[in-house]
Amino acid sequence: MSTDRGGTQAPERIEPSYPKDRTTLGGPRLGAVGWARWVWRQLTSMRTALFLLLLLALAAIPGSIFPQRGVDPVRVRRFFEDNPDLAPWLDRVGMFDVYASPWFASIYLLLMVSLVGCIVPRSRQHWEAMRAQPPRTPARLGRLPVHRSVVLDAAPDDVVAAARAELRRRRYRLRAEEDGARTVSGEKGYLKESGNLVFHLAVLGVIVSVAAGHLFGWRGEIIVKEGETVTTGPSAFDTLHLGPLVDPDDIPVYSLQLNDLDVQFEAEAQGAQFGQPRVFRGVATVQEDVSGSPSAPRTEEFAVNDPLGISGTSVFLLGNGYAPVVNVRDADGQILFSDAVTFLPQDNTYSSEGVIKVPGADPALGFVGGFLPTLTFDPEIGPTSSFPDLVDPALVLAVFEGDLYPEGRAQSVFSLDTESMDQVLQDDGTPVSLLIRPGDELELAGDRGSIELETVIRWGGLMVRHDPGRIPALVFSGAALLGLGLMLGVRRRRVFVRVTPATGTPDPAGDGARHTEMTVAGLPKGTDPGLDELVEQVLERIATASGGRVVTDKDDS
C-alpha cells in the first residue's frame, strides 16, 4: 500500500503477469481458410460491387478516346503513322483493343463473381423473409419513429377486426391471429427487395450476354457498288472479325444486290449544317441460302438505323461514297480496263482519294488522285470540292508507269506503291496531271492510249453482324430498368396496431360506453417521408370502421 498527500493509503497497483503483446501471447490466427473467407466476403460486398462497376465504366473510357482495331483499323493505322513514338506504348497496354484486353476482362469477371456472391445469399434471405410471417408487435410502440395513440369508445375486438380489415385492404401481409392477443402486425413492400435482386440479376445477364456476343459473334465489312451483287462468305468481306469460338464455316451464305442508294445533302442551311446528309437509304434484293435450297428473292429498303435481317445476321448501312466508271484504252483503242473504281471520302465535302491500276498495259499504268463531287479551284490548295453532292464532278489524276506489284507483294486496292514506278511526264518534262469530267476522254502523253470517265455511281459501306447476345442484352436491360423502378418506387413498411382496454378515461357522454386505447405505429426500411400520413390515414379508417369515436387523443394530452 502507498500513502497519498492526504494521508490516506491508496491501493497498490497490481501489474498483470501475462504478456501484453498478442504476438507473444499467441492469439488466434486466421489461417488459409480464414483469409480466403475474409477475401470472399470483401469481394462479394455491395461496396466492392459498386466500386468494380465504377472501375468498369472508367476502364471503358480509353475505348472512346483511342481508335479500336475491331471498329476502325484504318484509323488505328493512321494513329500509328501520326504518333510513331506513343502508339507502340499504347498498343502494349491494349489501348487499341480495350474491350478484348486482359485487364478489362479481369474487371468484368471480378464484377460477375462479386454479383453472383452478392445475389445468391440475398436471394435466399429474401425467399425466407417472404415465406415468414411479419414480426410480432413490439411491446413499446412509442419507441418507433412514427406512432399515434387514441382512445375510442368501441369494443376492443371490434377495433382489432377493423384494423385487420384495413391493413388487408391495403395489401399488407398480416401475422396470424394469436389467442388472446389484441395486436395486429402487417408488412408490405417485398417487391422493393425483389426489384433489387432483379436489377442485379439483370446487370449480370447483360454482362453474360455481351460476353456471349463477343465469343460467338462475328462482324464483317464490305463495300458494294450500285448494281453489284455479293455473296457472303469468309472471302467476300473486305474485313472480317470472328469471335474466339466462331468457325468460318458458320457464316451463312446468301446473296445481296444493292439496287439503289439514295443520299441527299442539306443545301439550304448555313454554317455547320451545310452539306450534312439528310437522307441515307438503300434498296437491296436478297436471296437466302444460295448454296442449298435458295429462297425466293425479296427486295427491301434499309437505312442507317433500320438494318436488313438476313439468316440471323443484321446488315447495316454505314457509309457511302462515289465510284467513277473509268475506261482505259491502249493506243489502238483496245479496252485495257473498264470498271467502277471505289474512291474513299476524306472530308465532309466528299473529296475522295483512290487509285486506278491497269496491269494490262505495257508497261503497267497506275493513276492516283482524287474525285471531287463539286469541283472548285482554291488559290492555295488547288482543286477541291465545295459540296458533297454531284454538282460538277471531276477526276484529278497523276499517271505512273512501271511495276505495279514489285516482288509480287500484295497491296491495298486503295493505295499505289510508286517506288518501283516512274511518273509519266509531258513533252516539256512536267508531270502529267489529268482533269476529267463525266463524258470526257483524254489522250495520254507518249502515245500511251486514253482514259475516259464514263459516269459516276455510288457505293455503300455495309456491315454484316451476327451477335447472339444482342436480344438477351436488350431483354436484361429492360429487366434492369424494371428492377430499378421497383427499387425506387416501392416502400418497405411495417405497421403495428395494439388495442388495450382504457382505464381511468373520463366519459364525456356519460353513457357508460366501453373505452379502448389504440396505438398505430409504422416502421420504415430506409427513409420514408410518407409514413406519417399513412399512420394517420390507417388510424382514421380503423376508428371509422370500428363504429367508435375518438374520446381522447393521447398524443395531444
Side-chain angles (χ1 to χ4, degrees):
M1 304 289 287
S2 61
T3 304
D4 59 13
R5 295 181 179 180
T8 60
Q9 290 183 339
E12 184 178 355
R13 182 175 179 180
I14 301 176
E15 294 293 336
S17 59
Y18 59 85
K20 297 180 181 180
D21 190 357
R22 290 189 62 86
T23 59
T24 306
L25 180 63
R29 299 290 187 270
L30 284 178
V33 177
W35 278 109
R37 185 181 294 111
W38 180 84
V39 171
W40 175 254
R41 288 178 178 174
Q42 297 300 315
L43 180 60
T44 57
S45 65
M46 182 61 66
R47 181 182 304 173
T48 302
L50 293 176
F51 173 76
L52 289 173
L53 193 61
L54 176 62
L55 189 62
L56 189 68
L58 293 176
I61 293 178
S64 61
I65 296 177
F66 300 105
Q68 301 297 294
R69 284 194 176 91
V71 178
D72 195 344
V74 176
R75 287 188 59 197
V76 174
R77 185 171 64 251
R78 189 177 303 167
F79 189 92
F80 270 81
E81 295 174 354
D82 297 338
N83 304 273
D85 297 328
L86 178 62
W89 289 98
L90 294 175
D91 196 23
R92 291 175 185 176
V93 294
M95 288 295 109
F96 303 111
D97 295 285
V98 169
Y99 308 110
S101 61
W103 53 268
F104 190 84
S106 63
I107 295 175
Y108 68 71
L109 286 176
L110 284 175
L111 179 60
M112 287 181 58
V113 174
S114 179
L115 288 174
V116 172
C118 179
I119 290 171
V120 171
R122 290 186 63 173
S123 299
R124 183 175 62 251
Q125 294 172 4
H126 183 53
W127 175 255
E128 293 175 354
M130 291 181 64
R131 298 182 62 189
Q133 293 193 73
R136 287 188 173 88
T137 302
R140 299 180 180 180
L141 295 181
R143 293 185 175 181
L144 298 185
V146 180
H147 60 275
R148 175 88 185 276
S149 297
V150 295
V151 176
L152 303 174
D153 60 350
D157 293 339
D158 295 340
V159 177
V160 171
R164 295 188 69 87
E166 173 62 16
L167 293 182
R168 190 177 291 111
R169 185 186 70 85
R170 293 177 177 267
R171 300 176 183 247
Y172 278 78
R173 290 178 60 239
L174 302 180
R175 185 176 180 85
E177 298 185 40
E178 299 178 1
D179 295 338
R182 291 174 175 172
T183 59
V184 181
S185 297
E187 186 173 11
K188 72 179 300 185
Y190 292 95
L191 284 178
K192 183 179 184 67
E193 181 64 14
S194 299
N196 195 348
L197 293 173
V198 168
F199 174 77
H200 286 83
L201 284 170
V203 171
L204 181 63
V206 170
I207 295 175
V208 173
S209 300
V210 172
H214 173 70
L215 293 175
F216 299 98
W218 59 272
R219 181 180 70 253
E221 292 86 17
I222 186 172
I223 291 178
V224 184
K225 307 179 187 72
E226 285 182 318
E228 185 180 12
T229 300
V230 295
T231 301
T232 57
S235 60
F237 296 99
D238 299 323
T239 60
L240 182 62
H241 306 278
L242 301 178
L245 302 180
V246 177
D247 192 308
D249 295 334
D250 296 334
I251 297 179
V253 179
Y254 55 84
S255 67
L256 183 147
Q257 181 182 14
L258 184 60
N259 302 330
D260 181 60
L261 198 60
D262 183 15
V263 185
Q264 300 176 21
F265 301 94
E266 182 62 64
E268 302 297 333
Q270 301 296 325
Q273 293 300 316
F274 178 76
Q276 295 298 313
R278 288 293 175 258
V279 176
F280 185 23
R281 59 174 177 262
V283 179
T285 299
V286 179
Q287 187 173 21
E288 300 184 51
D289 196 17
V290 295
S291 61
S293 301
S295 62
R298 70 178 191 274
T299 301
E300 296 185 17
E301 288 190 2
F302 65 119
V304 177
N305 296 319
D306 185 18
L308 291 174
I310 312 171
S311 299
T313 67
S314 298
V315 181
F316 296 88
L317 187 58
L318 294 184
N320 72 98
Y322 294 104
V325 180
V326 177
N327 300 318
V328 179
R329 296 179 174 86
D330 61 12
D332 297 329
Q334 299 296 321
I335 292 181
L336 302 176
F337 177 89
S338 180
D339 198 2
V341 184
T342 301
F343 277 66
L344 300 180
Q346 303 298 309
D347 52 32
N348 292 334
T349 61
Y350 280 52
S351 297
S352 306
E353 294 181 355
V355 298
I356 304 170
K357 300 179 182 181
V358 188
D362 187 19
L365 294 176
F367 301 84
V368 59
F371 174 77
L372 308 174
T374 302
L375 179 63
T376 302
F377 288 94
D378 189 283
E380 295 183 359
I381 63 176
T384 183
S385 177
S386 59
F387 189 68
D389 212 350
L390 295 175
V391 178
D392 184 15
L395 269 177
V396 179
L397 303 173
V399 187
F400 293 83
E401 65 179 0
D403 189 0
L404 283 176
Y405 306 101
E407 300 179 0
R409 294 193 304 265
Q411 57 182 261
S412 172
V413 295
F414 302 110
S415 63
L416 183 66
D417 186 358
T418 59
E419 292 184 359
S420 58
M421 304 184 73
D422 298 321
Q423 188 168 7
V424 176
L425 305 178
Q426 296 181 358
D427 295 337
D428 58 1
T430 59
V432 171
S433 180
L434 304 177
L435 177 62
I436 317 173
R437 287 183 168 89
D440 291 349
E441 183 176 2
L442 300 183
E443 296 293 331
L444 301 177
D447 199 26
R448 290 178 175 87
S450 65
I451 180 171
E452 176 190 11
L453 177 56
E454 182 178 333
T455 185
V456 179
I457 63 174
R458 294 185 183 272
W459 58 261
L462 307 183
M463 183 178 74
V464 183
R465 183 174 182 178
H466 173 65
D467 186 0
R470 177 172 56 92
I471 299 301
L474 178 62
V475 173
F476 283 120
S477 299
L481 291 177
L482 175 62
L484 188 62
L486 293 176
M487 288 171 55
L488 300 177
V490 176
R491 303 290 184 183
R492 182 77 177 271
R493 293 167 170 171
R494 289 174 178 172
V495 175
F496 304 101
V497 179
R498 181 179 295 280
V499 178
T500 57
T503 58
T505 303
D507 183 7
D511 54 3
R514 300 179 64 182
H515 295 161
T516 299
E517 180 179 346
M518 178 182 66
T519 301
V520 180
L523 180 65
K525 185 175 183 180
T527 58
D528 191 349
L531 191 60
D532 294 85
E533 183 179 359
L534 172 69
V535 170
E536 187 70 26
Q537 292 176 355
V538 169
L539 185 143
E540 293 178 358
R541 296 275 304 185
I542 293 175
T544 303
S546 62
R549 58 185 175 86
V550 177
V551 177
T552 303
D553 191 332
K554 301 199 60 148
D555 292 326
D556 297 334
S557 60

